[in-house]
Amino acid sequence: TQVGSQTVNLRLACRTADSMRLSENSTFYAVFFSQFTNTTPFLLSDGGGEKTIFAQFRSNTGETSAPVSITINYITAGPSISAFSLSEGQLLSRPLRVTATASAPLGMSAIEFYVDGIGQGTNAGGSFSHWFDIRSFSSAVHRVRLVARDTSGNFASLERNVTITPVPPSAPTITEPANDLVVNTNAY
């Protein structure tokens, strides 16, 4: 089981228990029994990695169960952005497709794209593709930001400056019919 939060919500079951104790230490050193509940939050120790939570139950007759355990992988690393199609100082003169990819140990929730702090597009998952129409932006330097969010709420971001200078498309070039061609039929 993988978690991205230091506090995990445990669901417990024991038909005869009226008290319980939880610990990452199998000897339950300095951990006292408390009232049994079916669900309880448990605070994992600092630092990511594999954690084992031990539970022990006691009945109203005072009989204590053998400890049971669950191993949890506490992941503290957030997403990692592996590609972003815009580079620092890039000159943008025509609309273009902006792409990006990211991954996270806990899975990706979404990738978001912003220009000057205003959201332009969001894709669920670990890949992003958005048609960026620059024609509505002024000719100037603009700050673009890519935010990758994992399923636990952790995020990574990349910010870059791009220069937008819209240029109209080139005039079309007529290649057929050839220059000075005389046509004297109107067959359809």
Side-chain angles (χ1 to χ4, degrees):
T1 302
Q2 294 183 338
V3 297
S5 171
Q6 191 171 7
T7 301
V8 294
N9 292 313
L10 299 175
R11 288 183 22 184
L12 305 168
C14 183
R15 292 183 307 172
T16 61
D18 74 343
S19 59
M20 65 181 189
R21 60 183 178 174
L22 303 170
S23 177
E24 285 186 52
N25 182 334
S26 64
T27 66
F28 297 93
Y29 179 76
V31 178
F32 300 101
F33 281 94
S34 61
Q35 182 69 38
F36 175 80
T37 59
N38 290 7
T39 59
T40 187
F42 182 82
L43 184 64
L44 296 171
S45 57
D46 289 334
E50 196 172 272
K51 311 283 184 177
T52 301
I53 302 171
F54 297 91
Q56 192 172 39
F57 305 98
R58 187 167 58 193
S59 70
N60 58 3
T61 62
E63 190 173 332
T64 302
S65 72
V68 294
S69 65
I70 183 171
T71 301
I72 294 176
N73 189 9
Y74 175 30
I75 298 175
T76 57
S80 174
I81 298 170
S82 53
F84 185 27
S85 63
L86 297 178
S87 58
E88 181 67 28
Q90 185 172 345
L91 179 65
L92 308 178
S93 58
R94 302 285 308 138
L96 72 156
R97 182 155 307 281
V98 174
T99 60
T101 56
S103 61
L106 293 170
M108 287 297 301
S109 175
I111 298 178
E112 306 160 5
F113 176 61
Y114 297 85
V115 177
D116 298 329
I118 299 170
Q120 302 296 312
T122 300
N123 287 155
S127 63
F128 179 83
S129 180
H130 175 74
W131 185 251
F132 181 32
D133 190 351
I134 65 166
R135 295 176 293 181
S136 62
F137 293 89
S138 63
S139 291
V141 174
H142 295 271
R143 190 76 171 163
V144 296
R145 182 175 192 223
L146 187 75
V147 178
R149 297 185 190 279
D150 71 11
T151 57
S152 187
N154 300 313
F155 71 93
S157 66
L158 266 178
E159 295 190 41
R160 301 203 168 128
N161 290 318
V162 296
T163 303
I164 294 178
T165 55
V167 174
S170 303
T173 303
I174 299 173
T175 58
E176 288 188 25
N179 281 343
D180 301 324
L181 179 66
V182 177
V183 177
N184 57 7
T185 64
N186 62 0
Y188 292 99

